[in-house]
Structures are given as C-alpha cells and as structure tokens.
Amino acid sequence: MTDLGNYTNTSEILKKYQFHLQKKYGQNFLIDTNILHKIVEAAQITKEDWVLEIGPGIGTMTQLLAKMAGQVTTVEIDRELIPILEDTLSSYNNVTILCEDILKVDLLALSKENGGRPVKVAANLPYYITTPIIMALLESRMPLVSITVMVQSEVADRMRTGPGTKDYGALSLAVQYFAKPEIVVRVPASCFLPRPNVDSTVVRLTRYKEPPVVVDDEAFFFAVIRASFNQRRKTLANGLANAGSLGVSREQVETALEKMRISKTVRGETFDLERFAELSNLLIHMRE
Ligand code: SAM
C-alpha cells in the first residue's frame, strides 16, 4: 500500500477523489513520514492492543497503526472521506471505520463492544474540538492506557502547566488528575497539507493507575474546578456560590477555606490539584 505521508501521494489521492478539504472539520493532513512514525512509536503500540484513532482523514496514520496494532477503530465525521478510507485501508483486515462525530460516540459502549480491553488512543486531532475530545476520553470510563495526540502547541502547554500562568485552567487539572503529560515532539506547520496557522506538538498522556490525589466525588470535584475557572475574576467563594448547580453557599466555601487555613478572598486560579481535592472533599460533606 502506498505510503501516504508525503505531499505527492496525499495530493494525488485528493485529486483522484476530487476531495475538497473542509476547514470546518479542522482538516490539516500530515505529510511527514518522520513525524508519523514518531507518533506511532510514542504510542507504544503492540499486536495485543486495541487502538482508537480519531479523525483518520485519508488514512495516513491509520495504515501505520493497522500494521502495529491488533485492532484499530477509527472514527471520522466527514462522510466524503469514507470511500477514500475504504480504498486506502483495503488491505488491512483489522480496521473498523466508523462515520461518526467522536463527541457523540458512547466511548464506554464502544470499548465494551471490543471486549472491554485496554485502549490506546492515537490521533492528529481536529484543533477546533481538542479540549472536549480530551475531556471526553479522560472522563469516559473506558480502560484507557494512553492518549498520544497532535494538538496545538498552546494546548500542549496548557496540559502541563500549574497555577500562576495564564494557560492554567480546567484542562490542566483534568489532564494532571488522570495522566502524566509528556511532550513527544514539536511539529512545524510545513508538515501538514494545508499548513495550519498555529504551531503543533505531539503529546503523550499516560494514564495513572490511581490519581495522585484522593477525591471523594469525581463529578463534584470537576464541577468545582469548572466553576472556579468560569469566573476567573471573582474570589473563589463568590465564584462557587454563583454557580448555583454546585449547591454550596458563599458561607460554606468560606468555612471550608478557613479549615484549610486559606484566605477567604483567594482566587481559584491559585489552587493546585491538592487544594482543589481538599476543598471539594470538604464541600461535598457540608452539602450533604
Ligand atoms: N489523521 C489525518 C492525518 O493525520 O492526516 C487527519 C487529521 S485532521 C487534523 C483531523 C481529522 O478529524 C479530519 O479528517 C476531520 O474530518 C476529522 N474530524 C473533525 N471533526 C471530527 C469529529 N467531531 N469526529 C470525528 N472526526 C472528526
């Protein structure tokens, strides 16, 4: 099967099928074999593995994944790409192509259909929905081993940063609660067709067996984090009380902060993972 990871072969396929790239779907196809190999290598895929790929495009990375993995499921939203994928992947019998929006896929059900075995995710993600995809993967209850993905460099930095930087937010905390984030390689825009107007980075998130902090109620913990960052300019006590859905009052938040020996006027963006865990564990029991 032709190696698609270069400009000539990719443009030939696009021409053959008269395929028009869709900006709205974040279609920037990888045309650099070296980078493709780096992603697949970093994903540490073996014949035992089930791999979930998001957004296969014309199947460039899917071909490599199919060679390395036991089974590959690849989810593509653009139905115009399906006949192309059926062609470029025709010589692999271990690939399932789903034409769906990844954000609407029931990930847990998909994993159960695959025998509930551990899953490794690999993808060159569509940048317009990177954060919701990462959050959905982390919060799904799939037996996730790792996520190795190309993202916008700014998002890669957001995943790894801590309090006190402008990039710090709900994504940083969710990633660091579930996984160890590592940079694999920085990728110049020239490696894509067409070139995106942002820098890209491949990151690997390796899921922890146990999260680094103890949280009594995960859903509430994430609701507290989201509420804190939704209202960045407010004090934490006001921010959380204003988010009616949490069911906590300003006084309750202030009491919890007092127990933690933290000023009542503290802002959420100064809190690290440990502090959010402690605060949400205190609040959930006050609420009951
Ligand atoms: N994997 C290919 C590559 O590396 O050349 C294509 C990557 S391109 C950056 C992103 C791909 O995700 C496109 O094929 C796009 O159509 C697809 N996509 C966009 N939104 C999607 C969604 N909500 N669900 C599934 N696929 C999506």
Side-chain angles (χ1 to χ4, degrees), residues 170 173 217-231 236 239-241 243 245-248 253 268 271 275-284 287:
L173 285 151
D217 182 320
E218 251 176 36
F220 184 70
F221 169 68
F222 284 113
V224 166
I225 289 173
R226 267 191 281 264
S228 310
F229 286 97
N230 276 346
Q231 313 214 2
L236 187 59
L240 298 188
S245 56
L246 286 178
V248 293
V253 182
F271 265 36
R275 283 195 165 168
F276 272 116
E278 196 182 345
L279 176 65
S280 74
N281 289 346
L282 284 169
L283 288 175
I284 188 98
R287 215 177 53 145

Side-chain angles (χ1 to χ4, degrees), residues 25-30 55-57 75-77 101-102 124 126 128-129:
Y25 288 144
Q27 289 174 350
N28 298 94
F29 296 160
L30 253 172
V75 182
E76 174 56 61
I77 196 169
D101 175 349
I102 188 67
N124 170 18
Y128 73 106
I129 44 168

Side-chain angles (χ1 to χ4, degrees), residues 4 10 19 21-22 24-31 36 39 53-62 74-79 81 85 98-105 122-129 133 150 191-193:
L4 298 170
T10 295
F19 179 77
L21 288 150
Q22 296 273 0
K24 68 169 180 183
Y25 288 144
Q27 289 174 350
N28 298 94
F29 296 160
L30 253 172
I31 49 164
L36 279 158
I39 301 176
E53 187 194 17
I54 298 153
I58 59 170
T60 311
M61 191 158 81
T62 328
T74 192
V75 182
E76 174 56 61
I77 196 169
D78 187 348
R79 51 186 68 254
L81 285 168
L85 288 165
L98 301 178
C99 183
E100 281 184 62
D101 175 349
I102 188 67
L103 295 179
K104 295 196 179 133
V105 172
N124 170 18
L125 288 178
Y127 292 172
Y128 73 106
I129 44 168
I133 292 177
M150 176 91 70
C191 295
F192 301 86
L193 179 76

Side-chain angles (χ1 to χ4, degrees), residues 42-114:
Q44 298 172 350
I45 292 160
T46 71
K47 281 283 166 205
E48 309 301 309
D49 289 323
W50 170 44
V51 174
L52 173 63
E53 187 194 17
I54 298 153
I58 59 170
T60 311
M61 191 158 81
T62 328
Q63 292 184 339
L64 283 180
L65 296 171
K67 278 186 204 145
M68 310 293 292
Q71 198 65 39
V72 179
T73 301
T74 192
V75 182
E76 174 56 61
I77 196 169
D78 187 348
R79 51 186 68 254
E80 302 289 319
L81 285 168
I82 304 303
I84 305 184
L85 288 165
E86 279 164 357
D87 177 8
T88 60
L89 301 172
S90 61
S91 55
Y92 303 96
N93 59 9
N94 58 345
V95 181
T96 307
I97 305 164
L98 301 178
C99 183
E100 281 184 62
D101 175 349
I102 188 67
L103 295 179
K104 295 196 179 133
V105 172
D106 180 341
L107 294 168
L108 187 57
L110 184 63
S111 123
K112 284 187 181 149
E113 279 166 30
N114 281 275

